[in-house]
Amino acid sequence: MKRIALFVPLVVFAVLSLFLLKGLDRDPTELPSALVGEAFPSFTLPSLSDEQRLITERDLGSRVVLVNVWATWCFACRIEHPMLNQLAAQGVSIIGLNYKDQNG
């Protein structure tokens, strides 16, 4: 029984190594999403420029639009903000959705 117990760390190391080796084959830039290929969800939200005007998914039409969900408390959102500004300067249409934010 003691001899088998000596091989347990080796087996754990082998399984862990295989798991980590499989991770090396993955593309780190690929972000899996359950929403890829799905229709954009329905929404009705007030416009920031005119609170009396409601915006819906129909306002997007068939054009390609980058929809970014952000919040003032989100650290990663602050990091990506300069890149979003660059994309907007290049003509990319961007719609921002403020998520659970009391400051904006």
Side-chain angles (χ1 to χ4, degrees):
M1 198 63 177
K2 287 185 177 185
R3 296 189 98 170
I4 293 174
L6 292 174
F7 289 104
V8 171
L10 181 62
V11 171
V12 170
F13 175 76
V15 170
L16 183 60
S17 295
L18 289 173
F19 177 74
L20 294 174
L21 186 61
K22 181 162 176 55
L24 290 176
D25 290 336
R26 298 186 67 146
D27 182 2
T29 61
E30 183 180 315
L31 296 174
S33 174
L35 300 178
V36 171
E38 297 292 323
F40 197 83
S42 299
F43 68 91
T44 302
L45 298 168
S47 169
L48 291 178
S49 58
D50 179 8
E51 291 185 16
Q52 301 302 316
R53 180 175 170 244
L54 295 178
I55 298 175
T56 68
E57 73 283 354
R58 292 182 295 280
D59 293 319
L60 301 178
S62 60
R63 63 191 171 124
V64 175
V65 177
L66 187 152
V67 178
N68 182 261
V69 181
W70 64 277
T72 57
W73 48 263
C74 171
F75 181 72
C77 297
R78 293 174 190 261
I79 294 171
E80 73 184 3
H81 188 258
M83 180 60 166
L84 292 173
N85 284 336
Q86 288 177 358
L87 290 172
Q90 295 172 7
V92 175
S93 296
I94 300 175
I95 295 177
L97 300 176
N98 194 348
Y99 178 73
K100 291 187 178 180
D101 202 344
Q102 303 300 318
N103 299 327

XYZ file of all heavy atoms in Angstrom:
812
model
N 0.827 -1.196 0.000
C 0.000 0.000 0.000
C 0.869 1.257 0.000
O 0.514 2.248 -0.614
C -0.921 -0.045 1.219
C -2.080 0.867 1.133
S -3.118 0.374 -0.255
C -4.402 1.485 -0.083
N 2.008 1.214 0.722
C 2.893 2.371 0.770
C 3.495 2.659 -0.601
O 3.729 3.805 -0.958
C 4.012 2.152 1.786
C 3.555 2.245 3.209
C 4.729 2.135 4.139
C 4.287 2.309 5.572
N 5.411 2.318 6.490
N 3.730 1.621 -1.388
C 4.301 1.818 -2.725
C 3.326 2.555 -3.633
O 3.731 3.392 -4.426
C 4.672 0.475 -3.341
C 5.761 -0.228 -2.562
C 6.231 -1.385 -3.305
N 7.439 -0.909 -3.985
C 8.278 -1.655 -4.619
N 8.036 -2.932 -4.734
N 9.355 -1.165 -5.156
N 2.061 2.238 -3.520
C 1.043 2.921 -4.340
C 0.962 4.387 -3.920
O 0.834 5.277 -4.754
C -0.322 2.215 -4.209
C -0.249 0.831 -4.831
C -1.412 3.031 -4.874
C -1.487 -0.010 -4.645
N 1.043 4.634 -2.630
C 0.981 6.009 -2.138
C 2.142 6.852 -2.661
O 2.009 8.072 -2.821
C 0.970 6.019 -0.613
N 3.253 6.220 -2.974
C 4.389 6.953 -3.531
C 4.110 7.473 -4.946
O 4.681 8.470 -5.372
C 5.642 6.061 -3.539
C 6.223 5.710 -2.183
C 7.369 4.711 -2.347
C 6.722 6.949 -1.476
N 3.239 6.806 -5.671
C 2.935 7.194 -7.046
C 1.806 8.233 -7.150
O 1.595 8.796 -8.216
C 2.578 5.961 -7.877
C 3.769 5.086 -8.144
C 3.937 3.898 -7.449
C 4.722 5.466 -9.076
C 5.042 3.090 -7.692
C 5.818 4.673 -9.331
C 5.987 3.475 -8.631
N 1.082 8.475 -6.078
C -0.014 9.447 -6.108
C 0.480 10.836 -6.528
O -0.113 11.459 -7.419
C -0.754 9.487 -4.753
C -1.742 10.644 -4.703
C -1.474 8.164 -4.506
N 1.564 11.376 -5.961
C 2.031 12.689 -6.418
C 2.421 12.691 -7.899
O 2.166 13.661 -8.618
C 3.242 12.983 -5.543
C 3.061 12.147 -4.326
C 2.339 10.923 -4.796
N 2.972 11.600 -8.374
C 3.345 11.497 -9.784
C 2.105 11.528 -10.675
O 2.086 12.202 -11.702
C 4.156 10.217 -10.027
C 4.622 9.993 -11.460
C 5.546 11.119 -11.898
C 5.302 8.649 -11.595
N 1.070 10.819 -10.285
C -0.178 10.804 -11.055
C -0.822 12.189 -11.041
O -1.272 12.681 -12.081
C -1.139 9.728 -10.509
C -2.519 9.843 -11.142
C -0.563 8.344 -10.721
N -0.848 12.835 -9.888
C -1.411 14.190 -9.794
C -0.616 15.142 -10.677
O -1.188 15.944 -11.421
C -1.431 14.670 -8.324
C -1.778 16.145 -8.245
C -2.395 13.837 -7.509
N 0.719 15.038 -10.650
C 1.564 15.882 -11.486
C 1.290 15.637 -12.968
O 1.185 16.577 -13.761
C 3.043 15.631 -11.170
C 3.971 16.366 -12.080
C 4.179 17.724 -11.926
C 4.619 15.701 -13.111
C 5.025 18.420 -12.781
C 5.464 16.376 -13.968
C 5.673 17.745 -13.809
N 1.141 14.370 -13.364
C 0.893 14.029 -14.764
C -0.454 14.591 -15.234
O -0.553 15.167 -16.325
C 0.947 12.521 -14.961
N -1.485 14.440 -14.429
C -2.816 14.945 -14.793
C -2.789 16.471 -14.889
O -3.310 17.059 -15.841
C -3.881 14.477 -13.777
C -5.205 15.187 -13.997
C -4.055 12.966 -13.863
N -2.166 17.120 -13.926
C -2.061 18.574 -13.947
C -1.256 19.044 -15.157
O -1.616 20.026 -15.820
C -1.428 19.075 -12.648
C -1.322 20.591 -12.483
C -2.698 21.232 -12.520
C -0.609 20.934 -11.198
N -0.188 18.342 -15.478
C 0.633 18.700 -16.644
C -0.165 18.581 -17.936
O -0.082 19.450 -18.813
C 1.868 17.804 -16.722
O 2.698 18.033 -15.619
N -0.944 17.525 -18.086
C -1.781 17.364 -19.278
C -2.815 18.477 -19.387
O -3.072 19.003 -20.468
C -2.459 15.998 -19.268
C -1.542 14.806 -19.519
C -2.307 13.498 -19.312
C -0.956 14.877 -20.916
N -3.400 18.825 -18.261
C -4.387 19.910 -18.238
C -3.756 21.226 -18.682
O -4.294 21.953 -19.512
C -4.976 20.029 -16.830
C -5.950 21.148 -16.674
C -7.228 21.058 -17.203
C -5.596 22.300 -15.992
C -8.130 22.095 -17.063
C -6.488 23.348 -15.843
C -7.759 23.240 -16.388
N -2.593 21.544 -18.137
C -1.907 22.788 -18.497
C -1.393 22.755 -19.934
O -1.417 23.771 -20.638
C -0.768 23.059 -17.519
C -1.196 23.352 -16.090
C 0.022 23.457 -15.176
C -2.042 24.602 -16.011
N -0.938 21.615 -20.400
C -0.466 21.472 -21.778
C -1.603 21.697 -22.766
O -1.426 22.351 -23.799
C 0.150 20.089 -21.978
C 0.814 19.828 -23.329
C 1.978 20.801 -23.532
C 1.296 18.403 -23.418
N -2.771 21.209 -22.449
C -3.944 21.438 -23.305
C -4.253 22.934 -23.389
O -4.640 23.436 -24.433
C -5.145 20.674 -22.788
C -6.373 20.866 -23.644
C -7.398 19.808 -23.398
C -8.664 20.011 -24.156
N -8.552 20.154 -25.570
N -4.038 23.656 -22.310
C -4.276 25.097 -22.299
C -3.341 25.856 -23.214
O -3.664 26.940 -23.696
N -2.172 25.307 -23.501
C -1.231 25.973 -24.406
C -1.726 25.991 -25.846
O -1.307 26.824 -26.646
C 0.140 25.290 -24.338
C 0.917 25.481 -23.036
C 2.199 24.666 -23.077
C 1.232 26.948 -22.811
N -2.613 25.067 -26.195
C -3.150 25.010 -27.549
C -4.267 26.015 -27.782
O -4.686 26.228 -28.912
C -3.684 23.601 -27.853
C -2.564 22.590 -27.969
O -1.429 22.993 -28.274
O -2.832 21.389 -27.748
N -4.756 26.629 -26.753
C -5.868 27.575 -26.881
C -5.363 28.953 -27.280
O -4.270 29.358 -26.902
C -6.629 27.665 -25.567
C -7.241 26.316 -25.177
C -8.072 26.467 -23.988
N -9.214 27.290 -24.359
C -10.418 27.142 -23.860
N -10.629 26.227 -22.983
N -11.396 27.926 -24.229
N -6.174 29.671 -28.031
C -5.856 31.032 -28.447
C -6.251 31.977 -27.310
O -7.436 32.100 -26.993
C -6.630 31.378 -29.718
C -6.312 32.766 -30.238
O -5.462 33.460 -29.645
O -6.914 33.147 -31.253
N -5.287 32.674 -26.698
C -5.626 33.543 -25.556
C -6.447 34.763 -25.956
O -7.049 35.403 -25.106
C -4.262 33.950 -24.996
C -3.324 33.798 -26.132
C -3.862 32.682 -26.982
N -6.498 35.103 -27.243
C -7.282 36.255 -27.682
C -8.726 35.878 -27.970
O -9.567 36.744 -28.162
C -6.672 36.895 -28.937
O -6.677 35.922 -30.002
C -5.251 37.366 -28.671
N -9.005 34.580 -28.016
C -10.368 34.127 -28.291
C -11.203 34.209 -27.026
O -10.848 33.643 -25.991
C -10.348 32.692 -28.801
C -11.718 32.173 -29.166
C -11.653 30.753 -29.662
O -10.771 30.445 -30.480
O -12.486 29.941 -29.214
N -12.296 34.941 -27.110
C -13.184 35.075 -25.963
C -14.484 34.343 -26.263
O -15.276 34.795 -27.086
C -13.480 36.558 -25.685
C -12.286 37.394 -25.292
C -12.683 38.863 -25.180
C -11.718 36.921 -23.978
N -14.703 33.213 -25.626
C -15.935 32.478 -25.898
C -17.151 33.255 -25.404
O -17.102 33.932 -24.384
C -15.757 31.178 -25.109
C -14.756 31.494 -24.056
C -13.876 32.576 -24.619
N -18.215 33.189 -26.172
C -19.433 33.881 -25.784
C -20.634 33.053 -26.201
O -20.685 32.517 -27.307
C -19.509 35.258 -26.457
O -20.762 35.855 -26.179
N -21.605 32.980 -25.339
C -22.837 32.265 -25.651
C -23.699 33.070 -26.610
O -24.667 32.560 -27.160
C -23.608 31.980 -24.366
N -23.362 34.346 -26.832
C -24.195 35.213 -27.663
C -23.743 35.303 -29.115
O -24.433 35.904 -29.926
C -24.221 36.624 -27.057
C -24.779 36.708 -25.643
C -24.705 38.131 -25.125
C -26.198 36.199 -25.595
N -22.598 34.704 -29.461
C -22.115 34.763 -30.833
C -23.104 34.042 -31.736
O -23.505 32.910 -31.474
C -20.706 34.134 -30.947
C -20.290 34.001 -32.397
C -19.701 34.966 -30.184
N -23.522 34.715 -32.803
C -24.469 34.133 -33.746
C -25.926 34.314 -33.355
O -26.819 33.948 -34.097
N -26.166 34.885 -32.194
C -27.538 35.114 -31.737
C -28.003 36.513 -32.135
O -27.195 37.408 -32.347
C -27.622 34.982 -30.206
C -27.278 33.614 -29.686
C -28.294 32.563 -30.076
O -29.502 32.881 -30.105
O -27.874 31.440 -30.358
N -29.306 36.684 -32.225
C -29.873 38.005 -32.522
C -29.633 38.943 -31.344
O -29.566 38.510 -30.189
C -31.372 37.879 -32.795
N -29.490 40.236 -31.650
C -29.293 41.217 -30.591
C -30.556 41.281 -29.744
O -31.667 41.307 -30.278
C -28.982 42.586 -31.208
C -28.386 43.541 -30.241
C -27.033 43.512 -29.975
C -29.167 44.468 -29.578
C -26.467 44.392 -29.070
C -28.615 45.349 -28.670
C -27.261 45.311 -28.423
N -30.440 41.298 -28.421
C -31.637 41.307 -27.570
C -32.439 42.605 -27.713
O -31.889 43.665 -27.993
C -31.082 41.179 -26.149
C -29.613 41.312 -26.237
C -29.211 41.264 -27.664
N -33.720 42.483 -27.514
C -34.595 43.655 -27.559
C -34.319 44.552 -26.367
O -34.047 44.074 -25.276
C -36.062 43.230 -27.529
O -36.356 42.429 -28.637
N -34.393 45.877 -26.599
C -34.214 46.821 -25.504
C -34.925 48.126 -25.833
O -35.177 48.443 -26.990
C -32.733 47.086 -25.215
C -32.015 47.831 -26.318
C -31.946 49.214 -26.323
C -31.412 47.136 -27.356
C -31.298 49.893 -27.328
C -30.757 47.801 -28.359
C -30.698 49.187 -28.353
N -35.256 48.874 -24.813
C -35.810 50.220 -24.932
C -35.163 51.051 -23.843
O -35.356 50.792 -22.652
C -37.337 50.220 -24.747
O -37.909 49.354 -25.727
C -37.908 51.611 -24.904
N -34.353 52.041 -24.254
C -33.613 52.858 -23.306
C -33.714 54.328 -23.686
O -33.821 54.668 -24.864
C -32.135 52.448 -23.295
C -31.842 51.019 -22.867
C -30.398 50.661 -23.176
C -32.118 50.865 -21.390
N -33.666 55.223 -22.690
C -33.681 56.656 -23.023
C -32.343 57.087 -23.623
O -31.292 56.584 -23.252
C -33.913 57.335 -21.668
C -33.452 56.340 -20.662
C -33.665 54.988 -21.262
N -32.420 58.014 -24.556
C -31.213 58.565 -25.174
C -30.505 59.468 -24.177
O -31.147 60.152 -23.377
C -31.595 59.359 -26.425
O -30.501 60.090 -26.898
N -29.179 59.496 -24.223
C -28.436 60.394 -23.337
C -28.577 61.844 -23.760
O -28.539 62.749 -22.938
C -26.950 60.007 -23.319
C -26.623 58.687 -22.650
C -25.125 58.406 -22.752
C -27.049 58.681 -21.194
N -28.728 62.074 -25.059
C -28.822 63.452 -25.546
C -30.232 64.018 -25.401
O -30.401 65.230 -25.324
C -28.374 63.531 -27.012
O -29.174 62.670 -27.810
N -31.249 63.141 -25.374
C -32.634 63.592 -25.241
C -33.401 62.525 -24.468
O -33.782 61.498 -25.020
C -33.247 63.813 -26.627
C -34.699 64.262 -26.559
O -35.201 64.552 -25.449
O -35.331 64.319 -27.629
N -33.635 62.758 -23.181
C -34.269 61.744 -22.334
C -35.704 61.437 -22.744
O -36.257 60.406 -22.366
C -34.222 62.180 -20.865
C -32.823 62.172 -20.297
C -32.802 62.478 -18.815
O -33.863 62.403 -18.166
O -31.720 62.784 -18.301
N -36.315 62.316 -23.523
C -37.679 62.078 -23.997
C -37.704 61.073 -25.150
O -38.723 60.473 -25.436
C -38.325 63.394 -24.445
C -38.398 64.438 -23.352
C -39.158 63.957 -22.124
O -40.208 63.343 -22.239
N -38.613 64.214 -20.943
N -36.563 60.898 -25.809
C -36.456 59.985 -26.958
C -36.001 58.612 -26.480
O -35.041 58.493 -25.735
C -35.446 60.539 -27.968
C -35.263 59.669 -29.171
C -34.346 60.343 -30.190
N -34.007 59.374 -31.199
C -32.797 58.908 -31.434
N -31.777 59.370 -30.748
N -32.580 58.014 -32.353
N -36.721 57.591 -26.896
C -36.355 56.221 -26.547
C -35.625 55.576 -27.712
O -35.989 55.754 -28.869
C -37.592 55.400 -26.197
C -38.348 55.839 -24.943
C -39.577 54.977 -24.743
C -37.439 55.758 -23.721
N -34.592 54.822 -27.396
C -33.821 54.100 -28.400
C -34.103 52.615 -28.236
O -34.118 52.097 -27.116
C -32.307 54.371 -28.226
C -32.031 55.858 -28.433
C -31.488 53.533 -29.187
C -30.604 56.248 -28.165
N -34.336 51.944 -29.359
C -34.572 50.500 -29.339
C -33.584 49.817 -30.261
O -32.827 50.482 -30.977
C -36.009 50.152 -29.796
O -36.126 50.451 -31.187
C -37.050 50.927 -29.003
N -33.603 48.490 -30.264
C -32.717 47.735 -31.148
C -33.020 48.014 -32.619
O -32.155 47.894 -33.477
C -32.782 46.228 -30.853
C -34.050 45.535 -31.295
C -35.253 45.773 -30.388
O -35.106 46.400 -29.325
O -36.344 45.318 -30.753
N -34.232 48.463 -32.926
C -34.585 48.789 -34.321
C -33.825 50.012 -34.819
O -33.617 50.168 -36.011
C -36.090 48.981 -34.450
C -36.869 47.680 -34.248
C -38.369 47.876 -34.432
N -38.973 48.746 -33.431
C -39.301 48.378 -32.203
N -39.064 47.154 -31.805
N -39.847 49.215 -31.353
N -33.384 50.877 -33.900
C -32.618 52.058 -34.299
C -31.233 51.693 -34.826
O -30.602 52.475 -35.524
C -32.474 53.035 -33.123
C -33.802 53.653 -32.733
O -34.586 54.007 -33.638
O -34.062 53.768 -31.520
N -30.771 50.504 -34.493
C -29.471 50.063 -34.986
C -29.532 49.693 -36.459
O -28.533 49.790 -37.168
C -28.970 48.859 -34.180
C -28.793 49.058 -32.681
C -28.343 47.761 -32.036
C -27.815 50.171 -32.400
N -30.699 49.252 -36.918
C -30.851 48.857 -38.314
C -29.981 47.660 -38.644
O -29.707 46.806 -37.810
N -29.489 47.631 -39.862
C -28.662 46.498 -40.291
C -27.182 46.849 -40.292
O -26.356 46.068 -40.730
C -29.092 46.053 -41.689
O -28.918 47.120 -42.599
N -26.838 48.025 -39.801
C -25.429 48.431 -39.789
C -24.679 47.736 -38.654
O -25.264 47.298 -37.667
C -25.302 49.948 -39.655
C -25.842 50.488 -38.362
C -25.930 52.015 -38.387
N -26.656 52.447 -37.202
C -26.195 53.288 -36.318
N -25.008 53.827 -36.495
N -26.896 53.624 -35.277
N -23.384 47.645 -38.821
C -22.534 47.035 -37.792
C -22.224 48.098 -36.740
O -21.794 49.203 -37.060
C -21.230 46.497 -38.413
C -20.307 45.970 -37.337
C -21.545 45.421 -39.436
N -22.446 47.746 -35.486
C -22.248 48.670 -34.369
C -21.530 47.923 -33.253
O -21.844 46.778 -32.960
C -23.598 49.205 -33.840
C -23.411 50.097 -32.646
C -24.351 49.931 -34.931
N -20.553 48.567 -32.640
C -19.890 48.006 -31.475
C -20.687 48.438 -30.247
O -20.851 49.631 -30.010
C -18.446 48.519 -31.382
C -17.575 47.889 -30.311
C -16.126 47.957 -30.755
C -17.733 48.538 -28.975
N -21.206 47.485 -29.513
C -21.957 47.774 -28.288
C -21.044 47.459 -27.117
O -20.586 46.334 -26.954
C -23.257 46.950 -28.214
C -23.994 47.240 -26.917
C -24.149 47.258 -29.410
N -20.767 48.475 -26.304
C -19.851 48.324 -25.181
C -20.614 48.540 -23.883
O -21.277 49.553 -23.709
C -18.709 49.343 -25.300
C -17.710 49.201 -24.188
O -17.754 49.933 -23.218
N -16.813 48.252 -24.329
N -20.522 47.567 -22.988
C -21.141 47.687 -21.666
C -20.061 48.157 -20.706
O -18.984 47.573 -20.637
C -21.733 46.339 -21.209
C -22.390 46.482 -19.847
C -22.724 45.821 -22.240
N -20.324 49.226 -19.982
C -19.305 49.830 -19.134
C -19.937 50.380 -17.854
O -21.153 50.427 -17.711
C -18.596 50.969 -19.877
C -19.513 52.095 -20.214
C -20.353 52.187 -21.283
C -19.725 53.282 -19.454
N -21.067 53.353 -21.238
C -20.694 54.056 -20.128
C -19.193 53.769 -18.270
C -21.141 55.275 -19.654
C -19.635 55.003 -17.803
C -20.594 55.732 -18.505
N -19.083 50.785 -16.935
C -19.513 51.439 -15.694
C -18.341 52.253 -15.158
O -17.180 51.927 -15.407
C -19.943 50.402 -14.659
N -18.631 53.306 -14.427
C -17.552 54.141 -13.896
C -16.730 53.400 -12.850
O -15.563 53.697 -12.661
C -18.099 55.439 -13.271
O -19.047 55.108 -12.257
C -18.758 56.314 -14.312
N -17.316 52.405 -12.184
C -16.606 51.646 -11.163
C -15.779 50.510 -11.755
O -15.035 49.840 -11.042
C -17.589 51.080 -10.139
C -18.763 50.387 -10.745
C -20.002 50.918 -10.963
C -18.828 49.046 -11.224
N -20.832 50.001 -11.545
C -20.126 48.830 -11.728
C -17.921 47.998 -11.296
C -20.542 47.627 -12.269
C -18.332 46.787 -11.854
C -19.623 46.624 -12.328
N -15.859 50.289 -13.058
C -15.183 49.161 -13.716
C -13.758 49.557 -14.111
O -13.552 50.400 -14.982
C -15.981 48.749 -14.947
S -15.162 47.547 -15.990
N -12.761 48.926 -13.479
C -11.362 49.246 -13.759
C -10.983 48.903 -15.201
O -10.313 49.674 -15.879
C -10.448 48.501 -12.774
C -8.997 48.794 -12.981
C -8.471 50.022 -12.636
C -8.164 47.838 -13.544
C -7.121 50.306 -12.833
C -6.816 48.099 -13.740
C -6.305 49.340 -13.389
N -11.403 47.740 -15.686
C -11.085 47.327 -17.066
C -11.707 48.283 -18.077
O -11.135 48.524 -19.143
C -11.556 45.903 -17.309
N -12.865 48.851 -17.752
C -13.524 49.808 -18.657
C -12.662 51.055 -18.837
O -12.590 51.623 -19.929
C -14.895 50.197 -18.125
S -16.046 48.811 -18.021
N -12.005 51.487 -17.783
C -11.126 52.662 -17.870
C -9.913 52.359 -18.743
O -9.420 53.220 -19.462
C -10.682 53.088 -16.482
C -11.817 53.621 -15.635
C -11.352 53.893 -14.208
N -12.465 54.173 -13.343
C -12.845 55.388 -12.987
N -12.194 56.430 -13.419
N -13.874 55.554 -12.195
N -9.436 51.137 -18.694
C -8.283 50.744 -19.503
C -8.645 50.696 -20.986
O -7.871 51.113 -21.841
C -7.727 49.389 -19.025
C -7.146 49.539 -17.621
C -6.684 48.839 -19.981
C -6.761 48.238 -16.971
N -9.847 50.191 -21.315
C -10.228 50.061 -22.715
C -10.737 51.369 -23.325
O -10.859 51.477 -24.540
C -11.281 48.963 -22.892
C -12.654 49.337 -22.384
C -13.656 48.206 -22.476
O -13.286 47.079 -22.885
O -14.817 48.442 -22.143
N -10.995 52.378 -22.510
C -11.566 53.637 -22.990
C -10.727 54.305 -24.087
O -11.283 54.733 -25.104
C -11.798 54.585 -21.813
C -12.551 55.806 -22.192
N -11.931 57.014 -22.386
C -13.866 56.006 -22.447
C -12.832 57.913 -22.729
N -14.007 57.323 -22.776
N -9.393 54.428 -23.956
C -8.614 55.045 -25.041
C -8.733 54.290 -26.369
O -8.806 54.908 -27.435
C -7.173 55.011 -24.523
C -7.297 54.925 -23.044
C -8.550 54.145 -22.788
N -8.798 52.968 -26.316
C -8.946 52.184 -27.548
C -10.306 52.426 -28.190
O -10.418 52.532 -29.411
C -8.755 50.697 -27.248
C -8.882 49.827 -28.444
S -7.653 50.286 -29.671
C -7.733 48.904 -30.747
N -11.337 52.535 -27.377
C -12.661 52.822 -27.915
C -12.686 54.205 -28.566
O -13.323 54.397 -29.605
C -13.721 52.725 -26.814
C -13.963 51.320 -26.263
C -14.895 51.381 -25.059
C -14.510 50.402 -27.335
N -11.996 55.167 -27.955
C -11.913 56.496 -28.560
C -11.193 56.449 -29.907
O -11.576 57.138 -30.857
C -11.212 57.476 -27.627
C -12.103 57.928 -26.496
O -13.322 57.898 -26.609
N -11.507 58.326 -25.401
N -10.143 55.636 -30.013
C -9.429 55.482 -31.289
C -10.342 54.869 -32.347
O -10.358 55.317 -33.493
C -8.192 54.602 -31.117
C -7.064 55.253 -30.370
C -5.893 54.282 -30.180
O -5.945 53.131 -30.573
N -4.834 54.785 -29.555
N -11.095 53.861 -31.963
C -12.021 53.241 -32.903
C -13.085 54.238 -33.367
O -13.425 54.293 -34.552
C -12.687 52.010 -32.277
C -11.796 50.806 -32.050
C -12.532 49.735 -31.253
C -11.305 50.245 -33.377
N -13.604 55.019 -32.441
C -14.609 56.024 -32.802
C -14.021 57.060 -33.756
O -14.679 57.486 -34.707
C -15.159 56.701 -31.544
N -12.765 57.451 -33.528
C -12.107 58.413 -34.413
C -11.903 57.838 -35.815
O -11.838 58.582 -36.792
C -10.765 58.846 -33.820
N -11.819 56.520 -35.906
C -11.666 55.851 -37.199
C -13.002 55.610 -37.885
O -13.050 55.048 -38.968
C -10.927 54.522 -37.027
C -9.509 54.671 -36.568
C -8.872 53.333 -36.220
O -9.435 52.265 -36.431
N -7.673 53.394 -35.659
N -14.094 56.008 -37.240
C -15.414 55.894 -37.854
C -16.248 54.721 -37.397
O -17.326 54.478 -37.940
N -15.788 53.974 -36.405
C -16.563 52.842 -35.894
C -17.726 53.389 -35.061
O -17.532 54.223 -34.176
C -15.684 51.906 -35.031
C -16.509 50.803 -34.395
C -14.551 51.335 -35.861
N -18.941 52.925 -35.361
C -20.110 53.330 -34.575
C -20.105 52.569 -33.257
O -20.059 51.334 -33.246
C -21.402 53.022 -35.334
O -21.467 53.771 -36.511
N -20.148 53.304 -32.152
C -20.098 52.689 -30.826
C -21.304 53.153 -30.018
O -21.596 54.345 -29.960
C -18.797 53.061 -30.081
C -17.585 52.578 -30.867
C -18.791 52.463 -28.675
C -16.262 53.001 -30.277
N -21.954 52.190 -29.386
C -23.051 52.497 -28.464
C -22.625 51.987 -27.097
O -22.224 50.824 -26.956
C -24.361 51.840 -28.898
C -24.829 52.436 -30.228
C -25.429 51.989 -27.830
C -26.061 51.813 -30.782
N -22.666 52.834 -26.095
C -22.286 52.450 -24.742
C -23.483 52.221 -23.863
O -24.423 53.017 -23.874
N -23.487 51.117 -23.138
C -24.531 50.823 -22.174
C -23.942 50.892 -20.780
O -23.014 50.156 -20.444
C -25.116 49.426 -22.416
C -25.768 49.175 -23.779
C -26.210 47.740 -23.897
C -26.918 50.111 -23.988
N -24.452 51.787 -19.976
C -23.986 51.974 -18.610
C -24.627 50.911 -17.722
O -25.834 50.805 -17.644
C -24.371 53.377 -18.144
C -23.650 53.775 -16.906
O -23.027 52.968 -16.247
N -23.714 55.044 -16.582
N -23.794 50.114 -17.030
C -24.267 48.976 -16.254
C -24.178 49.233 -14.759
O -23.105 49.496 -14.237
C -23.424 47.744 -16.632
C -23.775 46.500 -15.879
C -24.952 45.822 -16.163
C -22.953 46.003 -14.893
C -25.282 44.671 -15.493
C -23.266 44.842 -14.206
C -24.438 44.192 -14.511
O -24.764 43.051 -13.836
N -25.306 49.146 -14.086
C -25.391 49.248 -12.623
C -24.524 50.395 -12.083
O -23.662 50.197 -11.242
C -24.972 47.935 -11.961
C -25.941 46.810 -12.171
C -25.553 45.598 -11.354
C -26.541 44.490 -11.529
N -26.194 43.301 -10.756
N -24.785 51.566 -12.584
C -23.958 52.710 -12.225
C -24.842 53.831 -11.680
O -25.774 54.248 -12.325
C -23.210 53.198 -13.455
C -21.981 53.993 -13.128
O -21.845 54.429 -11.970
O -21.165 54.183 -14.022
N -24.513 54.308 -10.512
C -25.264 55.405 -9.908
C -24.629 56.761 -10.200
O -25.176 57.793 -9.883
C -25.348 55.214 -8.391
C -25.976 53.902 -7.993
C -27.392 53.765 -8.500
O -28.182 54.702 -8.454
N -27.733 52.587 -9.001
N -23.406 56.748 -10.791
C -22.661 57.992 -11.007
C -22.813 58.557 -12.401
O -22.153 59.516 -12.737
C -21.156 57.744 -10.757
C -20.911 57.291 -9.338
O -21.604 57.706 -8.442
N -19.941 56.427 -9.152
N -23.552 57.963 -13.265
C -23.541 58.429 -14.630
C -24.861 58.655 -15.189
O -25.152 59.094 -16.190
